[in-house]
Amino acid sequence: MWSGFKLTKFLAIALLLACSSSGFAAVTEPPAEQPTDAPVVQTTTKPTTTTVAPKTTTTVAPKTTTLAPNTTTVAPPTTPAPPPAPYPDPQIGKWNTSCIMVQMAAQLNLTYETKDNKTTTALYNIPPNATIDAGNCLNQTEQISLEWGPIDALHSLVIQFSKNESRKEFAVQSLVFNIPIEGDNFPNAKEGQHAQLIYAGKPVFSTPLHMSYHCTRKQKLNLTETLDMTSEPNGQVTLTNVQFEAFRPNNSTSFSTAKDCDAPDTPDVVPIAVGIALATLIVIVLIAYLIARRRSTARGYTSF
Ligand SMILES: *[C@@H]1O[C@H](CO)[C@@H](O)[C@H](O)[C@H]1NC(C)=O
Ligand SMILES: *[C@@H]1O[C@H](CO)[C@@H](O)[C@H](O)[C@H]1NC(C)=O
Ligand SMILES: *[C@@H]1O[C@H](CO)[C@@H](O)[C@H](O)[C@H]1NC(C)=O
Ligand SMILES: *[C@@H]1O[C@H](CO)[C@@H](O)[C@H](O)[C@H]1NC(C)=O
Ligand SMILES: *[C@@H]1O[C@H](CO)[C@@H](O)[C@H](O)[C@H]1NC(C)=O
Ligand SMILES: *[C@@H]1O[C@H](CO)[C@@H](O)[C@H](O)[C@H]1NC(C)=O
Ligand SMILES: *[C@@H]1O[C@H](CO)[C@@H](O)[C@H](O)[C@H]1NC(C)=O
Ligand SMILES: *[C@@H]1O[C@H](CO)[C@@H](O)[C@H](O)[C@H]1NC(C)=O
Ligand SMILES: *[C@@H]1O[C@H](CO)[C@@H](O)[C@H](O)[C@H]1NC(C)=O
Ligand SMILES: *[C@@H]1O[C@H](CO)[C@@H](O)[C@H](O)[C@H]1NC(C)=O
């Protein structure tokens, strides 16, 4: 793309030069016609070529324009290079139990072994039509289990939330993905593999109780094969368009007020600042008005 941009810029300049400065092109022409001549002869022939030049100025211009298409044929090789068909972006899914509501688009980048015993990576999207397998709503932890895929090779995701009573917050405690390595998503995969990808680090996305966590941008979490998170990551999950709420009032049907991941911790600062500025302005106007009124009444005018 960068080189393509450069080329078009170059072409534009080349065309401009060809159209505007035909005299310049005429001067560059002569050396090309007689490059092998002896230096002594060149000085004598030069005057004759410069007298010819004014006549050929119109014919020189097309020559430079034919150079331009030549460079455009060079451009295509750089553009076909990128298209290794991109894996689609994940779609947003929405799931709820009586106490949890989750909305997100999730994509895994996970490693697997190929038939020739090599490790490779693949992207995998959590389908938005995954169904809710189970959920529980306990005092301190709540979880929701999603599952999808064929019955003989079930895929699943379990999200666990925890509550911190003293801080009046909840957070995502863990994410556990179970993905059988099979199908078109995992070309050339060795048979019988099953990936377990876990996030169980420090709780993430913490949010005040009775609010929902909201984040549109991409967020990545490293995943490991075991719960203790000590082994090397065997994958990553990228979450976008996230909205989570756990420990919901049991009869609510939608997300509570959202706390956005990019909102400042003190979201009231801006309205307060605007309010103070407005109030100051009003006070100033009022004082000015009162002073003006006092002066005008002193002079004997009446005012309303
Ligand atoms: C134009 O193409 C010819 C042959 O295809 C090549 O020799 C020449 O270098 C090209 N010129 C430019 C400016 O790319
Ligand atoms: C999901 O929420 C709806 C209301 O928004 C509720 O009727 C439904 O029972 C909930 N689903 C589950 C599995 O609790
Ligand atoms: C997937 O993860 C591997 C290893 O972390 C990385 O090299 C690769 O670029 C990632 N793929 C994508 C599409 O992000
Ligand atoms: C892959 O490894 C297994 C044992 O780990 C071995 O039996 C098999 O021959 C290897 N395959 C290749 C292509 O190296
Ligand atoms: C989910 O969608 C996929 C294709 O998008 C489809 O093959 C699959 O049958 C669907 N699963 C369910 C449970 O609807
Ligand atoms: C749940 O919390 C309530 C009060 O917060 C407590 O009385 C009850 O014993 C707890 N139940 C469990 C199973 O922890
Ligand atoms: C709640 O948060 C406080 C302060 O961060 C922490 O000390 C405490 O261990 C947390 N409690 C639970 C149950 O996570
Ligand atoms: C994820 O893992 C990679 C490679 O091990 C590391 O460089 C990166 O810092 C990790 N990211 C987080 C958020 O832990
Ligand atoms: C909501 O939950 C409370 C206990 O947390 C229970 O007493 C009440 O019956 C529930 N209401 C509904 C409509 O399920
Ligand atoms: C939720 O249910 C409780 C009783 O279970 C009721 O008192 C309350 O008004 C309900 N709230 C809403 C918003 O419906």
Side-chain angles (χ1 to χ4, degrees), residues 168-271:
K168 300 252 174 295
E169 281 181 351
F170 71 93
V172 173
Q173 177 93 20
S174 67
L175 294 165
V176 179
F177 296 88
N178 270 296
I179 312 290
I181 304 296
E182 55 156 49
D184 298 341
N185 277 296
F186 307 103
N188 199 30
K190 202 178 188 177
E191 302 229 329
Q193 291 181 81
H194 188 102
Q196 173 160 271
L197 301 127
I198 299 174
Y199 177 82
K202 76 175 173 51
V204 281
F205 313 141
S206 74
T207 306
L209 286 168
H210 309 305
M211 287 184 82
S212 60
Y213 175 85
H214 182 265
C215 201
T216 306
R217 67 177 155 83
K218 275 186 188 177
Q219 296 189 93
K220 288 187 178 184
L221 295 173
N222 279 345
L223 305 171
T224 58
E225 193 153 20
T226 52
L227 263 171
D228 56 16
M229 299 288 291
T230 50
S231 52
E232 273 294 295
N234 63 340
Q236 271 184 340
V237 62
T238 304
L239 302 174
T240 44
N241 293 297
V242 166
Q243 192 158 8
F244 285 142
E245 184 176 356
F247 305 98
R248 301 164 67 225
N250 53 8
N251 49 5
S252 84
T253 57
S254 57
F255 284 115
S256 303
T257 314
K259 182 200 162 204
D260 196 89
C261 56
D262 290 326
D265 276 343
T266 50
D268 294 341
V269 162
V270 172

Side-chain angles (χ1 to χ4, degrees), residues 23-271:
F24 176 76
V27 179
T28 52
E29 183 69 2
E33 282 177 49
Q34 296 172 322
T36 51
D37 280 353
V40 193
V41 188
Q42 252 191 343
T43 46
T44 52
T45 50
K46 249 186 184 170
T48 53
T49 48
T50 43
T51 51
V52 178
K55 282 179 190 171
T56 54
T57 43
T58 46
T59 54
V60 175
K63 260 188 183 172
T64 46
T65 46
T66 51
L67 266 177
N70 200 4
T71 51
T72 49
T73 52
V74 181
T78 54
T79 41
Y87 190 72
D89 283 338
Q91 287 175 277
I92 300 172
K94 196 170 178 180
W95 302 276
N96 76 289
T97 66
S98 57
C99 58
I100 295 173
M101 196 172 256
V102 169
Q103 177 184 304
M104 64 177 180
Q107 185 175 71
L108 290 170
N109 174 354
L110 54 100
T111 59
Y112 67 95
E113 217 175 310
T114 59
K115 284 190 176 121
D116 49 355
N117 295 347
K118 290 205 178 98
T119 302
T120 186
T121 65
L123 297 178
Y124 181 85
N125 289 342
I126 308 307
N129 65 357
T131 55
I132 295 166
D133 166 45
N136 61 49
C137 304
L138 301 174
N139 260 358
Q140 299 304 320
T141 62
E142 293 185 347
Q143 68 180 42
I144 183 170
S145 309
L146 307 180
E147 65 175 32
W148 64 97
I151 288 173
D152 57 342
L154 273 180
H155 299 55
S156 68
L157 163 60
V158 178
I159 307 173
Q160 182 162 319
F161 294 87
S162 62
K163 178 160 71 173
N164 188 320
E165 203 79 61
S166 59
R167 301 191 64 179
K168 300 252 174 295
E169 281 181 351
F170 71 93
V172 173
Q173 177 93 20
S174 67
L175 294 165
V176 179
F177 296 88
N178 270 296
I179 312 290
I181 304 296
E182 55 156 49
D184 298 341
N185 277 296
F186 307 103
N188 199 30
K190 202 178 188 177
E191 302 229 329
Q193 291 181 81
H194 188 102
Q196 173 160 271
L197 301 127
I198 299 174
Y199 177 82
K202 76 175 173 51
V204 281
F205 313 141
S206 74
T207 306
L209 286 168
H210 309 305
M211 287 184 82
S212 60
Y213 175 85
H214 182 265
C215 201
T216 306
R217 67 177 155 83
K218 275 186 188 177
Q219 296 189 93
K220 288 187 178 184
L221 295 173
N222 279 345
L223 305 171
T224 58
E225 193 153 20
T226 52
L227 263 171
D228 56 16
M229 299 288 291
T230 50
S231 52
E232 273 294 295
N234 63 340
Q236 271 184 340
V237 62
T238 304
L239 302 174
T240 44
N241 293 297
V242 166
Q243 192 158 8
F244 285 142
E245 184 176 356
F247 305 98
R248 301 164 67 225
N250 53 8
N251 49 5
S252 84
T253 57
S254 57
F255 284 115
S256 303
T257 314
K259 182 200 162 204
D260 196 89
C261 56
D262 290 326
D265 276 343
T266 50
D268 294 341
V269 162
V270 172

